[in-house]
Amino acid sequence: MSQPLITLDFLDKAPVAEALPADVRVSAATRTGRARKLYIESYGCQMNFSDSEIVSSILADEGFDTTDDLAGADLVLLNTCSIREKAEQTVRMRLKQINSHKKRKPGMLVGVLGCMAERLKSKFLEEEKIVDLVVGPDAYRDLPQLISQVDGGQKAVNVLLSREETYADITPVRLNSNGITAFISIMRGCDNMCSFCVVPFTRGRERSRDAHSIVQEATALVAAGYKEVTLLGQNVDSYKWASEDGTERVNFAQLLERVALISPALRVRFSTSHPKDITDEVLHTMARHENICKYIHLPAQSGNSRVLELMNRTYDRPWYEERVQAIRRILGDDCAISTDMIAGFCSETEEEHQDTLSLIDFAQYDMGYNFFYSERPGTLAARKLEDDIPLETKKRRLQEIIDRQQLHARARYARMVGRVHKVLVENFSKRSQEHLSGRNSQNQVVIFPKGNFQKGDYVEVFVTSTTGGALLGEAV
């Protein structure tokens, strides 16, 4: 699954009465005089935010400006996530709120995009009748025709998955951009059939985007003043592109180097890595280029080999530990590693839960995205395994994972005190217009007095203290 969004300049302009969760992004307004207004709420992961930028580009050519005002929208789209049950519940509640706006403005069209589209199309369109159109992640090019159908009084749906679609030729509209950082989608879909995950069923099979189009997009972003790109994929390490005539083949390590060589002033990040696929070649490429950030999201999901086999992760604990050791050996102890962990997976024993805690101690993660297991309909686990861990046990184990992870995160932040860090300024600090906020190579937030610096500057900052979740310092 994709890594959850990390951003320093979150935009949420929904009315207070309809406050949105923190992992939801609302389209920023573009005012170019187009006749119709498009409002998009994007839920979940970085891939969804990137997809919303593609949708905005497609619909801009069809006469839509984006708006951050729900009440004034002609078309409302929710780009949805199905990774966890809570995400689906959030979208359902939001659709009810949006339909109250639709009653006051009957001409408003409401649609659902993304991962919930295929799974719940019949419920949304036929049973609950709460949306006008449902569009899967591989059918966004069909949006103009589908909207035309709805304008004509029909319901519209296209959730067909593709083996070819990568949207390589579409220049995304950078929604909510700070003008400094941007996402570039390098591949779509996933071939890893993890038993707990719906992504292969909602996003289809893996296909890699033309390497030249990726380099061109990154080059254009540099020309437009952007200083950082994040290469996105469900599993970037399995990126594999070949030219039609077979004379050119590019793997992820080679693509990473091509993007890094565009400009030494361009920072390069990527997400997400799969432990079975991340190679020493990728790690050595990171080591060669200072502008490839020393941060790797390497989801473990569990610290026990039997549970990993039930999850169909295709690696065991010794393999994962060896990959962590390779990162430390090639990139050094300062390279940040983050993880995903699932508490209370099917049949997990107390001893196996303790193995997860001991893996956290072994890896000493800088950050963790931790959740208790929630069965997702249609997955292998839902079909073949019993969700037999009591909810209270799941919650208790999750809290123990969070507590252990926070212990190591605080220590990882503390070891950065007393050093100079190269920080890319992304915005003002949330608490003070007199302080700037940015990130170091390890993806840690650094806050310092603004002085004469501004967004987009690289600043050498001597870190004097930490809050446990951010580094504080002075420019040098």
Side-chain angles (χ1 to χ4, degrees):
M1 67 184 73
S2 290
Q3 179 187 353
L5 179 72
I6 302 169
T7 181
L8 300 178
D9 62 329
F10 210 83
L11 179 63
D12 180 357
K13 295 187 179 179
V16 173
E18 298 179 355
L20 298 172
D23 60 346
V24 180
R25 179 171 283 189
V26 177
S27 55
T30 54
R31 299 179 177 87
T32 64
R34 291 180 173 90
R36 303 177 80 179
K37 301 298 180 186
L38 164 66
Y39 174 95
I40 305 183
E41 284 178 13
S42 307
Y43 290 72
C45 69
Q46 292 172 337
M47 288 297 294
N48 271 10
F49 291 92
S50 178
D51 278 3
S52 290
E53 295 178 339
I54 290 168
V55 167
S56 296
S57 180
I58 291 169
L59 292 182
D61 291 339
E62 297 298 316
F64 283 89
D65 267 340
T66 54
T67 179
D68 55 8
D69 175 21
L70 171 60
D74 300 296
L75 172 62
V76 176
L77 299 176
L78 269 59
N79 196 350
T80 61
C81 175
S82 272
I83 292 296
R84 293 172 201 90
E85 184 178 7
K86 184 179 178 183
E88 289 196 2
Q89 291 172 346
T90 300
V91 169
R92 286 181 171 280
M93 289 189 293
R94 187 60 174 147
L95 283 170
K96 289 179 181 177
Q97 293 174 338
I98 289 169
N99 271 273
S100 68
H101 286 276
K102 187 176 173 65
K103 287 176 183 176
R104 294 190 292 271
K105 187 178 180 180
M108 177 186 285
L109 308 184
V110 179
V112 167
L113 311 177
C115 291
M116 285 177 68
E118 194 281 332
R119 208 174 74 72
L120 296 174
K121 59 182 182 295
S122 58
K123 282 186 175 292
F124 284 156
L125 281 172
E126 297 158 19
E127 296 174 31
E128 301 174 20
K129 298 181 179 177
I130 52 177
V131 300
D132 301 299
L133 70 159
V134 177
V135 187
D138 289 348
Y140 297 144
R141 290 184 195 272
D142 204 23
L143 269 166
Q145 181 264 328
L146 295 171
I147 292 167
S148 179
Q149 273 185 235
V150 177
D151 285 339
Q154 305 175 54
K155 300 292 184 181
V157 58
N158 185 343
V159 293
L160 295 176
L161 295 175
S162 167
R163 287 179 176 268
E164 291 83 31
E165 182 62 83
T166 63
Y167 301 110
D169 59 321
I170 294 175
T171 302
V173 173
R174 302 291 168 182
L175 296 174
N176 311 103
S177 173
N178 58 10
I180 306 301
T181 63
F183 301 136
I184 298 178
S185 178
I186 67 168
M187 60 190 302
R188 300 184 72 80
C190 184
D191 286 350
N192 299 309
M193 299 298 292
C194 298
S195 64
F196 54 81
C197 187
V198 298
V199 167
F201 307 104
T202 60
R203 285 190 170 269
R205 302 294 299 272
E206 278 180 10
R207 58 272 190 203
S208 297
R209 183 176 159 190
D210 182 318
H212 297 287
S213 73
I214 295 167
V215 172
Q216 287 168 3
E217 184 173 339
T219 302
L221 285 166
V222 171
Y226 284 80
K227 296 292 185 68
E228 179 181 293
V229 296
T230 300
L231 307 181
L232 293 181
Q234 304 297 148
N235 175 17
V236 291
D237 300 295
S238 63
Y239 175 89
K240 206 178 282 90
W241 174 79
S243 60
E244 288 188 12
D245 61 7
T247 59
E248 187 179 11
R249 297 181 182 276
V250 181
N251 65 19
F252 180 60
Q254 293 162 343
L255 176 70
L256 193 57
E257 185 155 67
R258 288 188 184 194
V259 176
L261 288 172
I262 291 170
S263 168
L266 176 68
R267 267 190 178 176
V268 185
R269 300 186 186 273
F270 58 89
S271 182
T272 295
S273 287
H274 195 293
K276 75 177 176 63
D277 292 319
I278 190 167
T279 64
D280 285 3
E281 183 185 5
V282 169
L283 302 180
H284 284 298
T285 301
M286 294 176 68
R288 279 198 305 275
H289 298 279
E290 185 271 338
N291 61 327
I292 301 178
C293 292
K294 305 309 182 278
Y295 166 72
I296 298 172
H297 185 60
L298 195 71
Q301 308 298 357
S302 172
N304 176 266
S305 292
R306 185 190 76 88
V307 174
L308 288 170
E309 185 174 7
L310 286 178
M311 291 176 167
N312 198 34
R313 292 290 286 172
T314 67
Y315 56 85
D316 57 13
R317 176 167 177 154
W319 175 279
Y320 187 92
E321 288 184 345
E322 191 281 328
R323 290 292 79 202
V324 171
Q325 290 170 333
I327 291 168
R328 300 297 185 212
R329 182 179 70 251
I330 296 169
L331 293 170
D333 289 339
D334 283 348
C335 182
I337 307 174
S338 61
T339 190
D340 297 343
M341 290 292 188
I342 297 175
F345 189 69
C346 308
S347 79
E348 180 189 65
T349 67
E350 198 61 36
E351 291 75 19
E352 290 166 340
H353 165 62
Q354 292 298 319
D355 285 344
T356 294
L357 296 180
S358 71
L359 182 63
I360 293 172
D361 291 337
F362 174 84
Q364 299 183 40
Y365 298 110
D366 294 71
M367 188 182 300
Y369 303 98
N370 307 306
F371 310 91
F372 63 75
Y373 175 65
S374 63
E375 185 177 271
R376 309 307 297 127
T379 59
L380 297 175
R383 296 201 300 269
K384 297 185 176 182
L385 301 174
E386 182 183 356
D387 183 9
D388 57 355
I389 307 299
L391 180 59
E392 286 309 309
T393 301
K394 290 180 181 179
K395 289 182 176 179
R396 189 259 303 165
R397 290 179 184 174
L398 173 61
Q399 191 58 54
E400 290 176 3
I401 288 171
I402 291 171
D403 290 344
R404 186 68 60 89
Q405 171 52 39
Q406 288 180 341
L407 187 71
H408 290 289
R410 286 194 292 269
R412 294 288 293 176
Y413 269 87
R415 73 194 298 275
M416 295 299 185
V417 175
R419 304 190 196 179
V420 175
H421 298 258
K422 185 177 182 179
V423 177
L424 174 59
V425 180
E426 296 182 32
N427 219 324
F428 288 105
S429 164
K430 291 181 179 179
R431 295 188 178 181
S432 168
Q433 292 290 303
E434 296 304 313
H435 289 77
L436 295 173
S437 178
R439 285 175 295 163
N440 61 11
S441 180
Q442 290 76 19
N443 209 37
Q444 296 166 323
V445 174
V446 183
I447 298 170
F448 61 97
K450 69 176 183 180
N452 295 319
F453 300 109
Q454 57 189 355
K455 267 199 323 183
D457 286 346
Y458 284 107
V459 183
E460 299 289 332
V461 178
F462 179 76
V463 170
T464 55
S465 63
T466 175
T467 65
L471 300 172
L472 308 178
E474 302 278 344
V476 294

